[in-house]
Every structure is written in C-alpha cells, then in structure tokens.
Amino acid sequence: MNEPNRRDFLKRAFALWALISAVPVVGMLAQYLTPGKAATTRETVMVGKTDDIPADTPKIFRFNKEPVVVLLNPAGQYKAFSARCTHLGCVVQFQTEGGPHFGCNCHGSQFDMSGKNVAGPAPRPLAPFRVNLDGKSIYLTKV
Ligand code: FES
C-alpha cells in the first residue's frame, strides 16, 4: 500500500527536479538564438552633459566599455578621444605638471590636449571621437 505512494512521490520529485534543471538551459538556449541589445555595442552613445565638463578640466566618460576623454578646448569646442594609450593600452590621466597634458603612467607616454603623442613610446595620437551636442547632452561617435 505504501509502495505506490513512495514511487509516485519519487516520480514527481524527479519530474520537478528535471523541470527546474531545464530552466537555465532553456534560458541560455533562447539567449543564444536571439541575441539581445546587451550583446551589441552602440555606434553613438550619450555620455553625459556639458555641465559635467568644466572648461579647464577634461573628464573621462564610458563609450560602451571604452574610456573616452571629453574636453572643452579654449576655442569653446568639445573634443573627444580615446583614453587608451596607443602604446599598450593603459588609461591616460589628465596631468597639469609641466603644462596641461595627458600622461600614461605605464611607460611614460605623453599626449597634448589635442590627443597628439608628444613624448614616450606611444606610436600615434589618441583615437579621435566625433562629438555631437543635442542641447546639453553630449553624444560621441567613433570615427
Ligand atoms: Fe602607455 Fe606604454 S601603455 S606608454
């Protein structure tokens, strides 16, 4: 009399376990078959507001996952370029000692305020980004 009940219980427990185990597999399969926006990168990204950037201090924003420097130059134009050093990819920092410039702490490369490489082993300027303003919103596009 007890045997069928125990057997039914075990069948149901196994079916429940199989169902719960299948949920993550089905989810991963669905994600694989229909890649969403999270798997893509966008060509143009709103990174911040003009109020976030003081005239004399560049600021680093995220363009997708890449650090990008945005600054307001003395001519009143917003400029942007990658903050990745063109030597081996360390992130450059804004420095004021010896005049405003971007310095790479990894191997000593220096870039002027237009992103041009001026010292150290960096072989080329920082990669430029196009800046578009929509009101106070700053949009960057990879060039
Ligand atoms: Fe910047 Fe080497 S990574 S100087």
Side-chain angles (χ1 to χ4, degrees), residues 100-112:
H101 67 280
F102 296 98
C104 179
N105 292 330
C106 290
H107 310 102
S109 287
Q110 292 183 357
F111 303 86
D112 68 14

Side-chain angles (χ1 to χ4, degrees), residues 5-129:
N5 285 341
R6 187 172 5 157
R7 185 170 291 152
D8 285 347
F9 172 78
L10 290 174
K11 280 183 182 176
R12 288 187 181 146
F14 179 76
L16 182 63
W17 173 82
L19 184 68
I20 290 172
S21 298
V23 169
V25 174
V26 170
M28 285 189 291
L29 187 62
Q31 198 171 23
Y32 175 76
L33 294 174
T34 57
K37 287 183 178 177
T40 63
T41 57
R42 292 183 292 163
E43 298 294 318
T44 298
V45 175
M46 199 283 275
V47 294
K49 302 285 186 183
T50 54
D51 295 340
D52 299 337
I53 305 173
D56 55 348
T57 308
K59 189 164 179 184
I60 293 181
F61 292 96
R62 290 277 164 195
F63 178 90
N64 295 319
K65 291 183 179 174
E66 285 299 308
V68 176
V69 171
V70 180
L71 60 87
L72 179 60
N73 72 13
Q77 300 167 316
Y78 286 93
K79 297 290 181 184
F81 33 81
S82 172
R84 290 261 178 229
C85 178
T86 56
H87 180 222
L88 294 177
C90 293
V91 175
V92 299
Q93 302 296 320
F94 176 63
Q95 299 170 345
T96 54
E97 195 174 309
H101 67 280
F102 296 98
C104 179
N105 292 330
C106 290
H107 310 102
S109 287
Q110 292 183 357
F111 303 86
D112 68 14
M113 295 303 284
S114 67
K116 182 181 174 200
N117 50 324
V118 293
R124 35 180 204 286
L126 299 170
F129 281 72

